[in-house]
Amino acid sequence: MSDARKIGLEIFEAMPKQAPSVFRKDFWTGKVMEWSMRDEAFKLEMFRFVDVFPVLRTPEQVAGHLKEYFCRPEQDFPVWIRFGLESVSAGSLVARAAASQIERNIRGMAADFVAGEDAASALPKLIASRKAGIGFTVDLLGEATVSEEEADTYAARYADLIDTLADAAEAWRPVPALDDAPWGEVPRVNVSIKVSSLYSQLDPIDPDGSLAGVRARLLPLLQRARRRGVFVNLDMEQFALKELTLALFRSLVEDPELGGYPHLGVVLQAYLRSARDDARALCAWAKRGGHHITVRLVKGAYWDYETVHAQQQGWPIPVFQNKWESDASFEACAKILLDHYPNVRPAIASHNVRSIAAALAYAEEKGVPAAALEVQTLFGMADALKVAVQRRGVRVREYVPVGELVPGMAYLVRRLLENTSNEGFLRARFAGAADPETLLRDPAAGGRAATSDPTPESEFVNTPNTDFSVAARRESVAAAIGAVRGRLGGHVPLTIGPATVDTEARLERHNPARRSERIVTTAAATREHADQAIRAGYEAFPSWRDRPARERTAVIRRAGELIEARRDEL
């Protein structure tokens, strides 16, 4: 019996037998899960409705949207709700009552996953978790601000989060399982920050400007956290911001203004194809510099977005397309992190018992003490797993979102999708009743990456836009800009058919982003020049028209190849 399998079976055995509330059918959320897993069409409409719900201001609007989404012949919405919607108008008493009940249920469902609207309102749940021996990291819902005013608001909310929680923590009794580690005291307050919330112009096309913009708001927050003894973790968001986030984290750890503060962490996403390389590079940097950092290892929460966005742009998909590949990557990354203890303090963030068991087994093999590890789960999910892991002497921490309902809906829908996914671990265990032996199989055993046929040579595919999150592409474009800037200020005549034609009159062309910079002067074409160009086109047309289509195609393709070869210069 492998150690991972043995530990996994022990975790399953230690779990309380009751299903999590999100899968219990006597709860509203459990009913939604059951309907969503039974009917994909219902799941789509339900999540669409949940997503739009926060902007519905009146019971009539709620009832109207319910009728639009669910009272269609092809829908099988539960009878007890259809009764209130099908045969009555949206403004009727019955429809209003049904809409009011739905509203209460959705708000209750959101409360299952979101602890409160702000730090103060979340405190009772955080304190209750701590009394149960479970730590927390608090996250403000929402990301990707669109104005500097909004970014200032987020910075102020993070400051309030740090101060409110730190003030409350002063009165908390010690919990050794949470507060003590082999390297010393673990901060009682732990906050997760999304980089994109602190600077509205964050863009990989401008890494230096983006880092400066984020640091202007983040550094004061970290100095505040250091004074109050608060742990700060930088969340990882979409793939385009990965390199920026890692570069920002390294710069903060090395920043003399923070004095080597040891309570800083960052996230790695195992579903990225680059995950192993990212883990190796981060660990090597920490060891080389003598730093002590926490790394939260997650599977990743943006799989659908990353896949669709890359396909839309024509870029390589950055995430694994098979679940077993992400699971295998997770285990491999966990080993890399554990290999670099104590410079790296791993936080294993997963609800997958196999993933957790594999990490715990390797930690035992490497002699890493249980008290040095941390297993992180999501607030409102996997309660039985938390109890089982606690019993092994491993610190457990919940990722606890805090915020208003509107930004909370995107988070809520992600959690619902996660729970109802056909390949999700929790669904397989508690809704699909999969046996532990099946769930504890090595993900790499028997897995085979899907292959895809290359695009046929005859098929036309547009050249993708430049992906500026790739450092090599940024450097290439920057080099081309430098080279072209050295050739500015020349003159371009007209080309009419085979002839080059110039004029005494000249037109000046300026850089629209820097009006003082003249790009070039050109000849000033007259109406006579335009007529000459049209005649030249008519004269050339017959020979082009009569050329075989394959030859014309080859000419156009060759033109495209020449343009692409000089893409950055152009």
Side-chain angles (χ1 to χ4, degrees):
M1 179 184 293
S2 72
D3 290 338
R5 179 170 168 268
K6 177 177 178 292
I7 291 174
L9 290 172
E10 291 171 356
I11 291 175
F12 275 123
E13 184 61 30
M15 283 186 182
K17 302 309 177 187
Q18 187 179 37
S21 61
V22 294
F23 291 113
R24 286 175 55 190
K25 297 176 184 179
D26 54 332
F27 284 77
W28 160 258
T29 307
K31 290 186 175 73
V32 170
M33 296 299 180
E34 180 191 5
W35 298 331
S36 298
M37 290 184 292
R38 190 175 61 203
D39 185 343
E40 283 292 321
F42 170 84
K43 180 165 87 170
L44 174 63
E45 299 298 348
M46 183 65 194
F47 293 175
R48 285 177 63 199
F49 174 75
V50 169
D51 195 40
V52 78
F53 166 75
V55 298
L56 305 180
R57 304 298 183 194
T58 66
E60 288 82 3
Q61 290 177 336
V62 174
H65 276 73
L66 284 170
K67 290 188 72 171
E68 179 181 340
Y69 286 163
F70 298 111
C71 293
R72 301 201 302 268
E74 68 272 19
Q75 290 295 350
D76 183 28
F77 203 51
V79 173
W80 62 277
I81 294 178
R82 289 179 68 99
F83 173 77
L85 297 174
E86 282 185 326
S87 59
V88 294
S89 67
S92 71
L93 184 60
V94 176
R96 287 168 63 94
S100 179
Q101 181 63 43
I102 291 285
E103 181 173 354
R104 283 195 295 272
N105 286 333
I106 289 181
R107 289 187 179 276
M109 185 164 58
D112 288 339
F113 301 101
V114 180
E117 291 198 351
D118 53 25
S121 62
L123 266 174
K125 291 183 179 178
L126 300 178
I127 292 171
S129 292
R130 183 173 170 84
K131 287 180 178 178
I134 297 173
F136 63 81
T137 180
V138 178
D139 160 66
L140 287 182
L141 287 169
E143 51 202 76
T145 51
V146 296
S147 72
E148 288 302 273
E149 291 79 5
E150 188 182 10
D152 284 336
T153 299
Y154 264 96
R157 291 177 62 200
Y158 281 123
D160 173 70
L161 195 66
I162 291 169
D163 286 341
T164 299
L165 296 179
D167 288 344
E170 292 177 358
W172 295 346
R173 293 180 179 177
V175 180
L178 295 178
D179 303 337
D180 297 337
W183 55 82
E185 188 176 359
V186 177
R188 298 179 182 182
V189 176
N190 188 306
V191 173
S192 289
I193 293 179
K194 291 187 177 70
V195 171
S196 67
S197 67
L198 294 177
Y199 184 50
S200 66
Q201 303 305 306
L202 195 68
D203 195 315
I205 199 172
D206 178 22
D208 293 340
S210 293
L211 290 176
V214 173
R215 282 176 59 91
R217 292 188 178 90
L218 182 56
L219 198 55
L221 290 173
L222 294 180
Q223 290 167 334
R224 181 188 296 262
R226 183 169 177 250
R227 289 194 301 271
R228 303 303 306 266
V230 171
F231 185 99
V232 175
N233 197 81
L234 296 189
D235 269 339
M236 192 64 71
E237 302 172 73
Q238 62 265 40
F239 173 71
L241 300 180
K242 182 197 71 172
E243 294 298 335
L244 271 176
T245 304
L246 291 174
L248 174 66
F249 176 73
R250 291 191 295 266
S251 74
L252 293 169
V253 172
E254 295 172 341
D255 196 315
E257 292 189 49
L258 295 175
Y261 189 55
H263 301 307
L264 297 177
V266 72
V267 174
L268 289 180
Q269 298 166 317
Y271 70 179
L272 291 177
R273 299 181 189 275
S274 63
R276 292 173 177 86
D277 290 338
D278 295 336
R280 293 188 190 98
L282 186 62
C283 290
W285 163 82
K287 185 175 181 179
R288 189 167 56 247
H291 308 301
H292 293 89
I293 62 172
T294 297
V295 179
R296 178 198 295 157
L297 180 63
V298 303
K299 293 283 172 63
Y302 299 83
W303 186 91
D304 298 273
Y305 167 81
E306 300 291 8
T307 299
V308 173
H309 181 64
Q311 290 173 331
Q312 181 188 48
Q313 296 294 329
W315 296 338
I317 297 174
V319 294
F320 292 114
Q321 293 299 286
N322 298 293
K323 181 181 181 297
W324 71 263
E325 291 179 286
S326 293
D327 290 344
S329 172
F330 189 94
E331 293 189 20
C333 289
K335 290 181 177 180
I336 294 169
L337 300 181
L338 288 163
D339 283 338
H340 289 82
Y341 175 82
N343 293 99
V344 175
R345 302 161 183 172
I348 307 302
S350 178
H351 298 152
N352 186 317
V353 174
R354 163 68 202 196
S355 298
I356 294 171
L360 297 184
Y362 192 71
E364 287 185 4
E365 180 183 328
K366 298 291 292 185
V368 178
L373 297 174
E374 189 164 295
V375 168
Q376 296 192 1
T377 63
L378 294 170
F379 175 73
M381 293 172 63
D383 293 336
L385 174 62
K386 297 167 190 172
V387 173
V389 172
Q390 278 179 300
R391 290 174 179 172
R392 300 190 67 86
V394 176
R395 184 167 52 256
V396 176
R397 188 179 305 280
E398 291 180 320
Y399 185 87
V400 184
V402 168
E404 298 175 353
L405 190 61
V406 172
M409 282 301 102
Y411 177 84
L412 174 58
V413 168
R414 279 211 298 271
R415 297 289 76 82
L416 296 177
L417 284 169
E418 181 176 316
N419 277 289
T420 56
S421 165
N422 288 332
E423 295 186 311
F425 183 90
L426 290 179
R427 172 176 176 173
R429 178 70 182 111
F430 295 104
D435 66 280
E437 291 287 354
T438 299
L439 295 171
L440 291 172
R441 288 175 183 162
D442 184 344
R448 187 168 60 86
T451 58
S452 57
D453 295 330
T455 302
E457 188 175 342
S458 60
E459 182 178 334
F460 175 78
V461 178
N462 278 318
T463 296
N465 290 329
T466 298
D467 181 1
F468 286 104
S469 69
V470 178
R473 298 300 303 125
R474 290 196 306 270
E475 292 164 3
S476 177
V477 172
I481 289 174
V484 169
R485 182 157 278 139
R487 305 201 305 265
L488 298 183
H491 176 72
V492 179
L494 305 174
T495 299
I496 303 177
T500 297
V501 180
D502 208 347
T503 62
E504 288 189 19
R506 301 285 171 96
L507 299 177
E508 290 191 352
R509 303 301 184 190
H510 293 262
N511 180 352
R514 187 182 295 172
R515 297 296 302 174
S516 62
E517 185 175 64
R518 189 176 73 179
I519 303 299
V520 74
T521 61
T522 70
T526 64
R527 177 170 179 167
E528 181 183 351
H529 294 126
D531 289 338
Q532 292 174 15
I534 292 170
R535 284 196 299 273
Y538 271 111
E539 291 168 1
F541 176 66
S543 63
W544 176 253
R545 176 197 60 201
D546 297 337
R547 184 174 297 195
R550 186 176 296 277
E551 291 184 19
R552 281 182 280 150
T553 301
V555 170
I556 294 173
R557 283 187 178 275
R558 180 57 181 153
E561 290 167 1
L562 291 170
I563 291 171
E564 188 163 2
R566 297 175 60 189
R567 173 182 183 146
D568 294 343
E569 176 190 358
L570 293 171

